[in-house]
Amino acid sequence: MNGKITSFFLVLICFTSCLEPYDVNITDYEDLLVVDALITDEQINHRVYLSRSIPNLDEIPQRESNALVIITDQNNEEEVLTEIEPGVYETDKEQFVPIIGGTYTLTIRTSRGIVYQSTPCTLLPKIDIDNVSFKAGKEWNSDETMELQGLNILVDGVASEGNYLRWLYEEDWQFKTPFPTRMAYDFEIDDWVYITPINHTCWKEDAANSVVIHSFANQNAATIKDKKVCFVPSKETDKLTVRYSILVKQLCISKEEYEFWNKLKVTTDDVGDVFGVQPFSIVGNIKNINDDKEPVLGYFQTGSVDSERIYIDRSDVTNLGLPVFSRYYNCSVDSFKYEDFPDQTPLEIYNKFVLSGVYNLNDAIYDEDTGAMVGFLLARPICSDCTLTGTSEKPDFWED
């Protein structure tokens, strides 16, 4: 969960008409409950995040632990959530499966004995995505000093007159280090050996924090074509260097919700980030049942999800004539020849620079005439170990 008060806006999958934002003066409240709660028709462990508000964005919010968190459906069946870590409460996907058309209410009893409750929220039907595609495009950087080249991720679809849509996306990408460890010293055989490159290929992930919405109100045709969901710069990031995947999620929202997100979008356009400001004046559908004047920062959201995942390879990017981020930028291998360390053995040099963690061994240096090993090619860890910025564990969904 984001370490700022605006964290409750993260990972909003699909809203219902239960959201009723309104303005309120909260200057007299310095310790407010912050709720980030979402359930969908996906068979997953849904989570509710609870914390307390902070007066300064540089501070770390206090997690709201030891609370009793319950979700009740239209039949008064209750799901009691389990606290899996401080302030994080989770449903059991085997026991709790929200259904389209179902109505759900969130109740929170804090360790202080204060009870908060949401308005009942109905899980609305989803609207299917027709197609997700990509095209070459351009976009200005955040301070509008440079026009960037890259890919526009686009969505096509058909809705009904009066529908309101919002899109979120999750990005995952594969990348490789330019100078991985290819050699090591085998103490059992007392010799240098070549090995399968270590920590050469990794993955990273990122989630949307922007507001992408669309209204079909007062439109004759409820179709959408080439709706821009996001822009991926090709030269300024390593996302497109090997293989990139994006999961686009299409959300059906109400008019009230659309107006809320539109208001938030207008508020944050100058900042360029939905988390760049603190929307203290926007309050959701959760109240203190004994004191409705106490603001609660956060929302209980329910909804269904339609999603589509696509993959984009480096060749797809270069075939469009787009520049690609250089994996070798600011990376190089340094030569360490034995002759430069006359008082040390090769193994002592290896211990001093490699086993100490200062460098990683990329390869050996060989004499052109004799073929004898005369030194090392060493690379800084950031240029040889992909786990420093990513994970070597392939995502479960990943397709090669």
Side-chain angles (χ1 to χ4, degrees):
M1 192 176 182
N2 192 302
K4 305 187 188 307
I5 193 170
T6 52
S7 59
F8 57 87
F9 290 119
L10 188 60
V11 203
L12 302 180
I13 304 299
C14 191
F15 285 84
T16 67
S17 59
C18 63
L19 180 61
E20 297 179 359
Y22 58 92
D23 293 341
V24 63
N25 186 342
I26 67 171
T27 56
D28 295 333
Y29 297 86
E30 296 182 355
D31 185 26
L32 304 177
L33 180 66
V34 181
V35 182
D36 176 3
L38 166 70
I39 63 170
T40 72
D41 62 331
E42 299 169 292
Q43 190 171 356
I44 60 175
N45 295 323
H46 303 282
R47 291 185 175 183
V48 173
Y49 299 86
L50 302 181
S51 61
R52 309 302 300 191
S53 63
I54 52 177
N56 192 317
L57 284 176
D58 294 328
E59 297 181 15
I60 298 176
Q62 178 184 353
R63 300 292 183 91
E64 185 70 24
S65 297
N66 302 317
L68 175 63
V69 181
I70 301 173
I71 297 176
T72 307
D73 66 14
Q74 69 279 1
N75 298 317
N76 290 321
E77 296 289 336
E78 294 184 345
E79 170 73 6
V80 179
L81 282 66
T82 301
E83 186 170 15
I84 60 173
E85 61 181 82
V88 182
Y89 303 82
E90 192 172 77
T91 65
D92 182 343
K93 66 180 180 180
E94 301 301 329
Q95 301 295 326
F96 180 70
V97 182
I99 59 174
I100 294 176
T103 300
Y104 303 89
T105 303
L106 175 68
T107 302
I108 301 166
R109 181 186 293 274
T110 69
S111 59
R112 308 176 189 181
I114 303 174
V115 179
Y116 301 87
Q117 193 170 76
S118 74
T119 55
C121 298
T122 302
L123 198 154
L124 298 177
K126 64 184 177 183
I127 296 176
D128 295 336
I129 294 175
D130 282 351
N131 184 53
V132 177
S133 61
F134 62 91
K135 293 181 181 178
K138 295 181 179 180
E139 189 171 285
W140 289 99
N141 61 358
S142 58
D143 57 5
E144 297 187 352
T145 58
M146 181 184 301
E147 192 174 35
L148 308 176
Q149 292 181 286
L151 294 180
N152 285 328
I153 306 300
L154 310 169
V155 173
D156 300 337
V158 178
S160 299
E161 184 179 355
N163 280 139
Y164 300 87
L165 300 180
R166 181 179 178 226
W167 292 268
L168 295 176
Y169 56 89
E170 298 172 5
E171 298 174 288
D172 293 85
W173 63 96
Q174 185 184 59
F175 70 102
K176 296 183 179 181
T177 52
F179 304 108
T181 297
R182 301 179 183 277
M183 178 177 278
Y185 189 80
D186 190 326
F187 288 91
E188 291 187 1
I189 65 174
D190 194 28
D191 199 3
W192 302 97
V193 295
Y194 277 97
I195 59 175
T196 301
I198 297 176
N199 295 335
H200 181 34
T201 301
C202 283
W203 287 262
K204 295 180 184 179
E205 63 180 9
D206 198 6
N209 62 358
S210 56
V211 178
V212 185
I213 52 179
H214 187 83
S215 169
F216 289 101
N218 301 319
Q219 291 190 5
N220 294 328
T223 60
I224 192 163
K225 177 69 175 177
D226 288 346
K227 174 67 177 182
K228 180 180 174 182
V229 174
C230 73
F231 174 78
V232 187
S234 61
K235 192 176 181 181
E236 287 68 32
T237 173
D238 62 356
K239 292 181 180 181
L240 303 175
T241 55
V242 180
R243 186 168 173 80
Y244 169 86
S245 175
I246 182 168
L247 177 67
V248 177
K249 295 188 176 184
Q250 184 165 278
L251 326 173
C252 176
I253 63 177
S254 70
K255 177 181 179 181
E256 292 78 16
E257 294 156 3
Y258 173 83
E259 291 174 348
F260 162 75
W261 286 112
N262 193 48
K263 178 180 179 180
L264 184 62
K265 180 178 174 63
V266 171
T267 303
T268 60
D269 269 348
D270 291 337
V271 182
D273 187 342
V274 70
F275 306 114
V277 297
Q278 298 185 61
F280 290 121
S281 62
I282 303 177
V283 183
N285 61 341
I286 304 170
K287 294 182 180 180
N288 180 331
I289 64 172
N290 294 313
D291 181 8
D292 59 6
K293 293 182 180 180
E294 177 191 344
V296 179
L297 302 180
Y299 309 93
F300 176 55
Q301 313 117 40
T302 63
S304 55
V305 178
D306 188 43
S307 61
E308 183 171 329
R309 179 182 297 280
I310 63 171
Y311 290 87
I312 302 173
D313 291 317
R314 180 188 178 97
S315 59
D316 297 323
V317 181
T318 57
N319 287 342
L320 292 174
L322 295 172
V324 179
F325 177 84
S326 174
R327 292 176 295 163
Y328 299 94
Y329 176 72
N330 205 29
C331 278
S332 63
V333 288
D334 297 324
S335 297
F336 287 75
K337 292 187 176 181
Y338 301 158
E339 62 186 30
D340 296 328
F341 304 87
D343 298 328
Q344 299 180 51
T345 66
L347 190 55
E348 289 174 334
I349 300 172
Y350 179 74
N351 289 337
K352 178 179 180 180
F353 293 102
V354 178
L355 295 187
S356 67
V358 178
Y359 286 91
N360 287 332
L361 177 55
N362 172 249
D363 208 338
I365 300 174
Y366 297 97
D367 184 273
E368 294 182 358
D369 297 326
T370 65
M373 187 172 170
V374 296
F376 305 119
L377 292 176
L378 305 183
R380 291 180 294 116
I382 196 65
C383 300
S384 56
D385 184 354
C386 65
T387 62
L388 295 179
T389 58
T391 175
S392 59
E393 184 176 350
K394 181 189 297 188
D396 293 337
F397 61 80
W398 192 263
E399 298 177 4
D400 293 315

